Amino acid sequence: MTLPRTADAHEVLHRIFGYDTFRGNQQEIIEHVCGGSDALVLMPTGGGKSLCYQIPALVRDGVGVVVSPLIALMQDQVDALLALGVRAGFLNSTQGPDERRAVETAFLSGELDLLYLAPERLRVESTLRLLGRGKIALFAIDEAHCVSQWGHDFRPDYLALSQLHERWPDVPRIALTATATKATHAEIATRLGLDDARHFVASFDRPNIQYRIAPKDEPRRQLLHLLRTEHPGDAGIVYCLSRNSVEKTAEFLAAQGLTALPYHAGLDAGTRAANQSRFLREDGVIMVATIAFGMGIDKPDVRFVAHLDLPKSVEGYYQETGRAGRDGLPSTAWLAYGLADVVQQRKMIDDSDGDLAHRRRLSQHLDAMLALCETVECRRVQLLNYFGQQGTPCGNCDTCLVPPESWDGTVAAQKVLSTVFRLDRERRQKFGAGQIIDILLGKRTAKVEQFDHHSLTVFGVGTELTEGEWRGVVRQLMAQGLLAVEGNYQTFVLTEASRGVLRGERQVMMRRDPKRQAQGRSRSARAPQAELPAAAAPVFERLRAWRGATAKEQGVPAYVIFHDATLREIATRMPSTTAELGTISGIGENKLAKYGEQVLQTLAG
Ligand code: ADP
Ligand code: ZN
């Protein structure tokens, strides 16, 4: 990049990236790092972390070295920078020796602005020696939560990163992450030895994402309905817990005529790479995946993230849903959740390897996730709270849009718990929620008769609620730790806490699931579409077609050419000169020179 040596941060923002103003605390962070100091940055996904190290790398002398765990995405990250005219390269295990040597040479001769490295490279002495022979502007440690064992994404290679400071005490380090509870936050600082770093904690709010958690009924049908009514033709991610349900869901969606591709660790590397590449490069692809997919995916126009199974932690959930709407346009985070999820996750924790402390940690993570699902308060307030931040009811989540009622479920809880207590004598038999509910409703099923359950005193005492409502009660008792499953037969058992309820010493408040209005969604709980003025819509489509063809020709994702938000602004403002075009957000010098004429021609029709 040929910048004057005095280039300041603002000039880089404008000339290279084509943006007018910094977002949030970007400017403060950038000035701090440009000045040579360490920083720890907590910012939600889509908050704009990349600029926080890319700009200082361009302003400071030398090369910015970026440590990032996902080698599969380095090529795209580098392509995006090259499209801006920034000299970037990467070193990882996917390269041949010639390619690697070319990057090393460029690094040593000062012809790079940014160098991306996988963390395991830094365990190799030859890499450290190479770095020692060049000039380094800064170290950026991306996805810094990977150093934390408390978090959900621990990578042992990250532990070695503390040595960077010992070898290069004068080079500023900036660690960045989008997941940070207090515990993770503290652990990152300690493990990376960021003793003197200034901490920058951005607001974790993502106002353009609408959070919705729906009672699980027929999850695939519910999902299909969501996609057809609210997100036709949109790109999105559907998360499932198992490989099997990834396959089944992708097949189901494909059979309905949608472009849906599977992604999980059981697929061979070639298929995974091909599917990921189509998701990034084509418009409107739905990726059905396990959580093996997504870290570092910076596709800006993901319009929805759907979870068909309960995530294991709020941190994971927030990071996954955060992949929606990086471009700031309205997006949906939708989760389907039911009794079976709670039972399954509790069992997985019981069966998991690791010591008691580990299992307790998993339980705490799950409890926080369940509390989010069962809350009658604003989801966003609860999420922000989890990350130690305050919020006010947002008006853009399901509980704000269609407030659920809460009700005193103490008596209902007592009925379920006494039934469990009575069944407990027959522990060697598997009685699921179905049997408990049949007893409460007074149904003389074969299984009820077989075990003589119609003679229990609780038989038929629960006709005031429907079967579905009873399932909700059992689920919430599980979620609140008032009921547990145990043993080989996975029977329901009482917990310490449930005795207080039975003795009438404790009140149990419950959430009444909103009535299933025509597939569980009212008009008001619909993601606001990003509306274009009528005249602009066809122009936007023409620009998208041009962008698609250009991206294909160059073998890069469409968003590397221009983001949707940029195309929308062009279609709305209809610039007629290159100078006018250059004032649009997201068009820097390099892109203006490269694509300006073509865009104006496309506008002219
Ligand atoms: P993160 O890494 O925090 O998830 P990114 O760095 O990918 O987020 O930024 C998210 C999106 O916001 C990107 O598309 C980026 O180009 C855009 N962006 C970042 N900073 C600004 C800014 N100051 N003005 C306009 N757009 C920005
Ligand atoms: Zn809300």
Side-chain angles (χ1 to χ4, degrees):
M1 183 93 272
T2 45
L3 279 170
R5 302 247 337 174
T6 54
D8 70 353
H10 233 111
E11 191 177 344
V12 175
L13 178 74
H14 190 71
R15 283 183 43 190
I16 313 286
F17 295 93
Y19 298 138
D20 286 332
T21 49
F22 286 111
R23 265 196 204 156
N25 45 8
Q26 275 178 337
Q27 181 164 3
E28 258 185 300
I29 298 167
I30 289 167
E31 281 171 4
H32 183 77
V33 177
C34 283
S37 308
D38 295 343
L40 172 52
V41 173
L42 313 186
M43 209 185 258
T45 313
K49 284 185 287 301
S50 326
L51 289 190
C52 296
Y53 56 84
Q54 287 169 349
I55 291 183
L58 291 166
V59 171
R60 284 177 63 85
D61 240 2
V63 183
V65 175
V66 185
V67 182
S68 160
L70 268 203
I71 58 178
L73 293 161
M74 283 185 183
Q75 183 71 59
D76 282 342
Q77 283 170 328
V78 163
D79 283 345
L81 287 165
L82 294 174
L84 295 167
V86 176
R87 302 169 309 173
F90 63 85
L91 290 175
N92 68 33
S93 53
T94 65
Q95 287 164 310
D98 288 348
E99 210 181 327
R100 194 173 306 167
R101 215 163 301 123
V103 175
E104 290 174 359
T105 309
F107 170 76
L108 290 173
S109 53
E111 284 160 17
L112 279 187
D113 301 309
L114 279 151
L115 174 64
Y116 284 75
L117 290 180
E120 54 272 21
R121 288 274 109 201
L122 290 169
R123 294 195 135 171
V124 182
E125 188 50 38
S126 62
T127 310
L128 293 168
R129 272 204 307 275
L130 171 79
L131 293 182
R133 286 160 56 210
K135 173 123 185 79
I136 300 174
L138 58 86
F139 287 108
I141 300 164
D142 207 3
E143 313 286 357
H145 62 277
C146 290
V147 79
S148 155
Q149 272 158 329
W150 158 259
H152 56 98
D153 218 356
F154 176 59
R155 310 217 170 188
D157 283 323
Y158 264 64
L159 293 176
L161 297 181
S162 57
Q163 60 168 329
L164 293 178
H165 185 53
E166 287 141 34
R167 279 181 96 125
W168 288 273
D170 298 328
V171 176
R173 293 168 303 155
I174 170 171
L176 312 101
T177 179
T179 48
T181 53
K182 274 211 178 77
T184 319
H185 181 170
E187 204 180 341
I188 294 171
T190 320
R191 288 192 187 270
L192 291 178
L194 287 166
D195 304 324
D196 300 322
R198 189 162 146 203
H199 296 206
F200 295 90
V201 183
S203 163
F204 265 61
D205 193 11
R206 297 286 312 281
N208 61 311
I209 299 180
Q210 183 176 93
Y211 295 94
R212 283 155 44 188
I213 300 180
K216 194 187 265 190
D217 183 5
E218 289 177 278
R220 282 179 199 136
R221 296 254 149 234
Q222 289 172 283
L223 171 68
L224 183 65
H225 182 78
L226 172 83
L227 301 188
R228 287 218 166 118
T229 54
E230 297 181 53
H231 291 288
D234 283 346
I237 307 174
V238 177
Y239 282 111
C240 305
L241 202 58
S242 70
R243 297 171 183 186
N244 183 35
S245 80
V246 164
E247 296 279 349
K248 291 245 166 66
T249 307
E251 274 165 28
F252 169 80
L253 293 178
Q256 305 294 326
L258 302 175
T259 314
L261 305 173
Y263 189 105
H264 58 72
L267 294 169
D268 64 89
T271 309
R272 281 206 310 269
N275 288 357
Q276 171 169 307
S277 168
R278 280 190 64 190
F279 177 71
L280 293 175
R281 280 165 175 71
E282 293 174 24
D283 281 327
V285 174
I286 300 167
M287 188 64 110
V288 185
T290 58
I291 55 169
F293 178 77
M295 205 213 290
I297 292 282
D298 52 6
K299 183 176 167 64
D301 55 358
V302 174
R303 292 272 70 83
F304 64 87
V305 171
H307 283 88
L308 290 190
D309 295 298
L310 185 68
K312 294 187 176 63
S313 72
V314 176
E315 287 175 281
Y317 170 74
Y318 206 58
Q319 192 164 64
E320 284 140 30
T321 54
R323 290 169 190 146
R326 280 170 187 251
D327 53 11
L329 300 175
S331 309
T332 310
W334 181 84
L335 159 65
Y337 152 76
L339 172 61
D341 287 296
V342 196
V343 174
Q344 184 187 22
Q345 296 258 356
R346 292 258 193 248
K347 178 168 159 46
M348 276 167 54
I349 293 174
D350 284 343
D351 294 350
S352 75
D353 304 329
D355 54 9
L356 189 64
H358 177 67
R359 285 205 292 277
R360 189 168 301 143
R361 217 153 46 215
L362 295 178
S363 273
Q364 286 170 352
H365 281 309
L366 179 60
D367 287 342
M369 190 62 220
L370 292 172
L372 175 69
C373 292
E374 302 291 1
T375 185
V376 290
E377 311 285 330
C378 170
R379 308 267 190 212
R380 196 179 309 270
V381 168
Q382 178 120 353
L383 280 166
L384 291 175
N385 236 306
Y386 186 75
F387 295 106
Q389 301 186 348
Q390 304 295 313
T392 49
C394 71
N396 193 27
C397 73
D398 55 351
T399 59
C400 280
L401 292 165
V402 187
E405 293 165 32
S406 61
W407 58 291
D408 184 342
T410 311
V411 173
Q414 286 167 339
K415 288 179 179 175
V416 170
L417 297 179
S418 3
T419 308
V420 169
F421 178 71
R422 288 182 168 81
L423 293 183
D424 200 30
R425 280 173 262 157
E426 296 164 89
R427 249 182 204 234
R428 278 153 21 78
Q429 187 64 39
K430 177 171 168 54
F431 297 121
Q435 185 76 356
I436 297 170
I437 294 168
D438 284 344
I439 294 170
L440 288 169
L441 290 175
K443 284 195 189 162
R444 277 179 173 262
T445 63
K447 199 166 175 185
V448 165
E449 303 238 335
Q450 184 191 344
F451 292 94
D452 216 15
H453 285 165
H454 50 283
S455 64
L456 294 176
T457 49
V458 285
F459 187 74
V461 299
T463 48
E464 72 277 21
L465 298 183
T466 65
E467 184 183 334
E469 286 165 333
W470 278 117
R471 288 189 75 80
V473 170
V474 177
R475 186 193 75 220
Q476 295 187 61
L477 289 173
M478 281 291 294
Q480 297 185 30
L482 294 170
L483 203 55
V485 285
E486 202 182 84
N488 290 339
Y489 294 95
Q490 287 296 299
T491 31
F492 284 98
V493 292
L494 302 184
T495 66
E496 261 325 297
S498 46
R499 320 232 168 238
V501 179
L502 278 172
R503 281 193 230 105
E505 295 159 5
R506 176 171 167 172
Q507 192 190 29
V508 186
M509 291 309 290
M510 296 205 179
R511 173 188 219 274
R512 198 183 301 284
D513 293 328
K515 287 266 174 305
R516 265 182 242 135
Q517 308 123 322
Q519 282 278 346
R521 188 184 45 73
S522 75
R523 237 201 79 75
S524 56
R526 171 177 292 201
Q529 301 293 320
E531 297 293 352
L532 272 175
V539 184
F540 176 68
E541 289 310 323
R542 278 214 306 280
L543 287 166
R544 244 159 75 117
W546 163 79
R547 181 183 67 178
T550 311
K552 199 155 197 177
E553 211 175 275
Q554 300 183 4
V556 296
Y559 62 79
V560 164
I561 311 280
F562 286 123
H563 287 184
D564 277 3
T566 301
L567 294 191
R568 279 170 184 278
E569 197 179 331
I570 299 174
T572 314
R573 282 181 38 196
M574 294 295 282
S576 53
T577 63
T578 330
E580 236 183 296
L581 187 62
T583 65
I584 284 173
S585 178
I587 309 188
E589 279 182 0
N590 204 60
K591 288 191 177 173
L592 188 63
K594 207 157 161 190
Y595 305 122
E597 278 307 317
Q598 295 178 44
V599 169
L600 293 177
Q601 272 169 27
T602 309
L603 291 182

